[in-house]
Amino acid sequence: MSKFALKIFSGKSHEKLARDIAKRLKKKISPVEIYRFACGEVYVRALETVRGCNVFIVQTATANVNEDLMELFVMIDALKRSFAKRIHVVMPHYAYARQDRVALPREPISAKLVADLISAAGADHVISVSLHSDQEQGFFDFPVDNINCMKLFADYFKKKKFKNLTIVSPDAGGAKDAKKFADKLGATLAVIHKARPAPNKSAVTHVVGDVKGRTCLLYDDMVDTAGSICAAKDALLKHGAKKDIYVAATHAVFSDPAASRLRKTGFKEVVVTDSIPIPKEKQFKGLKVLSIADLLAKTIESVHDDKSVTANL
Amino acid sequence: MSKFALKIFSGKSHEKLARDIAKRLKKKISPVEIYRFACGEVYVRALETVRGCNVFIVQTATANVNEDLMELFVMIDALKRSFAKRIHVVMPHYAYARQDRVALPREPISAKLVADLISAAGADHVISVSLHSDQEQGFFDFPVDNINCMKLFADYFKKKKFKNLTIVSPDAGGAKDAKKFADKLGATLAVIHKARPAPNKSAVTHVVGDVKGRTCLLYDDMVDTAGSICAAKDALLKHGAKKDIYVAATHAVFSDPAASRLRKTGFKEVVVTDSIPIPKEKQFKGLKVLSIADLLAKTIESVHDDKSVTANL
Amino acid sequence: MSKFALKIFSGKSHEKLARDIAKRLKKKISPVEIYRFACGEVYVRALETVRGCNVFIVQTATANVNEDLMELFVMIDALKRSFAKRIHVVMPHYAYARQDRVALPREPISAKLVADLISAAGADHVISVSLHSDQEQGFFDFPVDNINCMKLFADYFKKKKFKNLTIVSPDAGGAKDAKKFADKLGATLAVIHKARPAPNKSAVTHVVGDVKGRTCLLYDDMVDTAGSICAAKDALLKHGAKKDIYVAATHAVFSDPAASRLRKTGFKEVVVTDSIPIPKEKQFKGLKVLSIADLLAKTIESVHDDKSVTANL
Amino acid sequence: MSKFALKIFSGKSHEKLARDIAKRLKKKISPVEIYRFACGEVYVRALETVRGCNVFIVQTATANVNEDLMELFVMIDALKRSFAKRIHVVMPHYAYARQDRVALPREPISAKLVADLISAAGADHVISVSLHSDQEQGFFDFPVDNINCMKLFADYFKKKKFKNLTIVSPDAGGAKDAKKFADKLGATLAVIHKARPAPNKSAVTHVVGDVKGRTCLLYDDMVDTAGSICAAKDALLKHGAKKDIYVAATHAVFSDPAASRLRKTGFKEVVVTDSIPIPKEKQFKGLKVLSIADLLAKTIESVHDDKSVTANL
Amino acid sequence: MSKFALKIFSGKSHEKLARDIAKRLKKKISPVEIYRFACGEVYVRALETVRGCNVFIVQTATANVNEDLMELFVMIDALKRSFAKRIHVVMPHYAYARQDRVALPREPISAKLVADLISAAGADHVISVSLHSDQEQGFFDFPVDNINCMKLFADYFKKKKFKNLTIVSPDAGGAKDAKKFADKLGATLAVIHKARPAPNKSAVTHVVGDVKGRTCLLYDDMVDTAGSICAAKDALLKHGAKKDIYVAATHAVFSDPAASRLRKTGFKEVVVTDSIPIPKEKQFKGLKVLSIADLLAKTIESVHDDKSVTANL
Amino acid sequence: MSKFALKIFSGKSHEKLARDIAKRLKKKISPVEIYRFACGEVYVRALETVRGCNVFIVQTATANVNEDLMELFVMIDALKRSFAKRIHVVMPHYAYARQDRVALPREPISAKLVADLISAAGADHVISVSLHSDQEQGFFDFPVDNINCMKLFADYFKKKKFKNLTIVSPDAGGAKDAKKFADKLGATLAVIHKARPAPNKSAVTHVVGDVKGRTCLLYDDMVDTAGSICAAKDALLKHGAKKDIYVAATHAVFSDPAASRLRKTGFKEVVVTDSIPIPKEKQFKGLKVLSIADLLAKTIESVHDDKSVTANL
């Protein structure tokens, strides 16, 4: 048992998730005043003492990612100056995760920048879920707990007892993760990639690997505009895949026009987590949301009690 | 003359000001790609080399202050990783300037936080205009050039050759600056303050100092919602001030309902600077905008040429 | 209750205050050897273990401020290298507090420099009293507890049951604080300011606000050479204030010729705190010293026990 | 043209490459004393002044990687304390590059650690070649130039005018890079992956993608023990690939038993770069070494002259 | 009693010493996987949780000092990222201790570099034994416990009840320590120094101080190649010292040809500690090893329990 | 030739030395306002621009060492915030140099603290003279030029053409430096050390080495209270040294009662440098002051022009 009080604060980005986590920990969300001044600036004030407390701030990256981040930084500053013992940032969907390298000359590495800003604001630790690349843990000088959701998805799909299941990576970059997932489910692997046969010809989508007559499950870390997975469906059908195609992805970013595309394309199921809140107008038939509240609650508890995080998941 | 190339970059917050500055320096704005991904994240890429350059990024705090800041941080990161020699942030209206102290327990000091974030992103120097409090220079570990606009306003009002001019501070906190401005114009000082005669009675606005039959010029560093200056007008008239009342303020924050209040209240003139862009729908009769582009261009030139900034203003 | 031992160390600047604080905490000052070598260098050695202790060092800024500071830095270094858990600096009168901004080109920001030096020496936290400007909390990267003495003064003066009390700020810069104090006592506000009617004429002292027939209480954060408050008395009398004039100020800096001026001017009472020791030869009739030992002891206790500091004051 | 002298220093790890780079820059390697004391410690001393110089230290990671690193750190310290203007580390094969993430609980991120140590020693910039993962640039707080060798290989293989060429990634993790290379050569892609059909059955190597009757070119960033590419050859032949199989890989790590395996397996050609020196006893028939000296020389020149690095490659 | 678990990890450099320390603390060495990849890189993984633990890593500098250091840094990184509460490095023989100053222009200060690297890797505290120079404690920003072995040697030699004992420093640099040791044993002091009577003449070894008919004990902090102490023996005999000459030195570096020289020279006793493991082939008649395991165990215990280290030794 | 302007500033501690240095560089001291407020705080303001300049601040440690240091820190802050390119501290007599290690438990390492404070204030480089211990260079993270005066003294004494000269170290700690100086002059070495034959007996001063009929020159890095060198004279005479005894020491600290002791003891010559100003009342017959202005001017010139410092001395 730990000797410091554990307190959970929630930013505005995903209050439901924060409440779900707190409920599992038999805790209340600590009261905090958060609003925007008329001029657009964030105002934050903690409404109870945090001196010597182990503070966890739940804030995820939504479509208002820049607001989410600045609000987080201001919260961290307020809690740091109020003498919190240790400040843990719980950011299930890590902001700017895909901007993790310089792809073209003179680009930023925004995922590293976000790590630097979180540290500069005063945080001591980050808990995130399915980071876009594993290397992002190394962007921090302090420890990072990167919770993997693969088991959550595997447990869900095992119950379906598919025969002839093929895990499909929608692009070459995701092949490695897709392979791990395939191994977990005893499935085969296929990779989709686009190639341009010649500079002046249009790109052709190839399906590398056998999908004929098989149940296909597209696996990725996130669904953003849903362009590539919707295109993938066509290609899979063309190569003889079974009609019912599944999607599994941790982060439901669902930028426009994701919802309309997914409605139109009609997957059998699109399984995501609640790492990002999904507003009503972006929900659709076949959408299935698995909750990560339990995983996060267990992690917070282990961190607070100085117990192994991995042993408990 | 300096030995490094000077380059000027502009964020999205105030491109006109950046162009005006560049024009005075006989320079072009350096090309840069800036846009939002569908998911809300900023993308930035400099389109020409900045290796070994002295880079100035113009970005002010507008009503989208959090977007402005994150965009700035991403730009700094991109330029730092592209080997810019030195990165100067030109932020005429400094973000979160008023949150410069802990007024209530467990508040942040967001103005200091912004300083920390700018430094963490990789900037080397900040140029700002009429910082809300002079102490904010001390929030930075590196030099800050804080351009004062008082002379700009003094030159403007001297031409009006007022007799019996009184500079009025709309609250006790601004008395010190108002006094300096009054000295510059050979005017007298008045201070407005509100007091509650007893806990259960309503506040009464007092005018400390003599305004009877005098031309009053309300002086402040910014106009936000315009509540206090509009209330001030009533009080001044009640105390016998001349009917034509003026306002001078560096930063035209103009949060709602500033524009409608100012229109209704009807000052003779509301004189501000272009430190923040004022959209059409917030403009009104009597609004007068003085440009700081020249002051900033001179400052940038002095900084680049290692000459005294103060000697040139 | 806290799990680490609390130890109180005292520098040479104000041993009486340290003892008074310790007494209220039912503690003894921890033994330490402090002396100057013949060559002028400070020598410090802690005479009992501080491993894992929560150490509070009491050292205020006196007329020997540079000696006080270097002695403090050497003490911090000694305790840091001896494995103190956390080092808290209790500096009631913060050194160089008024040099908090660049007023003329090429000036230092010495109040920020002192913050940097305290941090570089190895301190983790500062407790101070009535900082000259609130923004100075933002000069530190770690939390600062800034104890306000306004309540101490208000309690003292409330007992006098003045009628027609006016709080007078001796200059425009202090108007804001004076107003807060006036509100606390249900008093009115007046502000004194000097103006030069024309460049070649001598300055005239104005009293902005009504003092006729009223009891005046000059309020400031410190009394240095006492020049401005003594001049203020004349101006107040000239404007018809009652003869008995009071002064309240937290820090009794009393630089020469403060004592002789105050003796000559003859205020009814000059009420200060013991944030700085007042040597016999600087004491005079009408001087009243309120002790802050109790406030500081409560703060230290709250800090040590991880309880809200503000809730206890 | 730059205003500081450019000096090139070489550690002991790859003196030939350093000389080749220097020759292209029409420079001499700067003299430095480097040896081991009898007790195993490195001794370094620069034998000519480096005050105000732009210093480039060439040191790659060989089989004595820990000696290489410590020697590098000591060199950096010597040059930093001798007032070098800027210290650039040229490390073609980046040490510990593959340990770039926490794969199992309680592992280090050694590639990030190396970045931290290089910075702590005092370097200002790193130039490397084909970093194992692009994200590793984000492990540094300062700019990193990551030279890509893909063009070098593409130019080499284009001359062979293969028909029906397939680029083969030896595992799922490399699929993304292999695809880029395939696009550059107008080739198709195949990916090899191993799967275990059931927990208690032995793994089966799959070739995902079509290789029948095609010329196969295995593409990876490095050849370590050569186990996977040798196994890949068998699988490719079994799937009907043409007999002459090629290998292209930037870093010839060639740990035992790489050389004997490669000799036995008999690829048509194994094309690598000289990023690591290949001792005589590890060379074999079919080995072809492309030099990166020219690429590095151009990069150093661009860096020194503050010109775009990417524009020159 | 402390509130965190104490865990002891051992690098590969001196596992016996680590076990001896652990035994005295009634602890087991915590399990850790350490090996070299075929490519020479170190791999480390802690095999049990260290969250919230007070971790002590035992690693000394042997003849493979660079391997020892890199292995240490990787261990620290692994434990830091696994959330160890505090990481203490127990390095009895401090690496690069003699390179503690710039003796010739453009040399490094490698002992300071090692301190910087240990800090950069993430350690919080260092425990070492008989540092080559006391000033090296000041190379660290955090506390260092420098255990002195003088008492260990004094206790050992007191039992011999020598009459007419002279402590001999083998060079002028060690005179100060030798004098302290002489005082402890009530012995006289002699200092050996070499001088060149004229530039073109060969150096002559002088014995400064009286040794005639006295028992001589050569005292130094380490024996490296044993050249100077073996030469010292001749000089002492020539000056009439008694035949049986003793050597006492904390660190048995024993670089080649130390062992053969010492065998040939034939001291009565060469007394060292086990701060460095001495392989069989370097042992010889007259070698006596005193263990520091007890001293280190007591120190670790005091550190862990926040008790005075010096009071317990 | 360098591209930045060189400016020399002087603190109050040793203006004559600063002027002498400037004269040799054909420069004027840059104007600066330095005074104490009535409250004891230092005020500093540079009176000409330093933007982009290479600034050298001359400030030595005198008997007012704490005032000297705080004044220096404030000067550095003022120049840093005024955009000086690089700030070099020229401190011939380094403050707190002898407190360079923890001699007794719970002592500070004040010499390291001073290094930390100089860095925290914002300096980039230190030039000092004959540092008390060579290891102190390692207390800084940036380069330090430590000018050795041994050659200055050697040149002076060589002209005297002594026969039978013996260099005497007044204690064991200085034996190493004394030996180097003896080698330079072709002299022999003697070391003085005090020992207590038994705990309750008084200490006896021993002269280790032969001085009979020889000219003795006591050599040390500084003369503080002159106690040990005056006692040394007696011991040397008792051992038959020639009557005329010389003293050479870089730093004339001359704390009370040094001057009266030296007058009484009557050395033939006491040769020091002007690293510290010697007030009239501390001068005496036989005192000879060698100037280091030329050495420092050459060093400053080399630093400014990026030339080897050691090559020019």
Side-chain angles (χ1 to χ4, degrees), chain C residues 202-217:
Chain C
S202 66
V204 179
T205 300
H206 292 278
V207 177
V208 178
D210 186 26
V211 300
K212 200 163 195 172
R214 301 184 67 87
T215 298
C216 287
L217 166 46

Side-chain angles (χ1 to χ4, degrees), chain C residues 36-50 62-67 69-70 73-74 77-78 80-82 93-99 102 104-110 112-114 116-117 120-121 224-225 253 255-256, chain F residues 36-50 62-67 69-70 73-74 77-78 80-82 93-99 102 104-110 112-114 116-117 120-121 224-225 253 255-256:
Chain C
R36 260 71 184 164
F37 285 110
C39 66
E41 294 177 1
V42 181
Y43 176 81
V44 166
R45 185 182 166 220
L47 297 176
E48 62 179 34
T49 186
V50 297
T62 70
N64 289 312
V65 57
N66 295 330
E67 293 289 331
L69 283 176
M70 284 304 302
F73 302 152
V74 173
D77 189 74
K80 172 184 75 179
R81 292 190 179 276
S82 303
H93 176 231
Y94 184 70
Y96 286 84
R98 283 170 291 178
Q99 298 196 44
V102 177
L104 292 172
R106 277 162 263 118
E107 280 186 350
I109 307 182
S110 303
K112 161 69 164 148
L113 168 69
V114 168
D116 288 343
L117 299 178
D224 189 350
T225 60
V253 177
S255 305
D256 279 333
Chain F
R36 260 72 183 164
F37 286 109
C39 67
E41 293 177 2
V42 181
Y43 176 80
V44 166
R45 185 182 166 220
L47 296 176
E48 62 178 34
T49 186
V50 296
T62 70
N64 289 312
V65 57
N66 295 330
E67 292 290 330
L69 283 175
M70 284 305 301
F73 301 152
V74 173
D77 190 74
K80 172 184 75 179
R81 292 191 179 274
S82 303
H93 177 230
Y94 184 71
Y96 285 84
R98 282 170 291 177
Q99 299 196 45
V102 177
L104 292 172
R106 276 163 264 117
E107 281 186 349
I109 307 183
S110 303
K112 161 71 164 147
L113 167 70
V114 168
D116 287 344
L117 298 178
D224 189 350
T225 60
V253 178
S255 305
D256 280 333

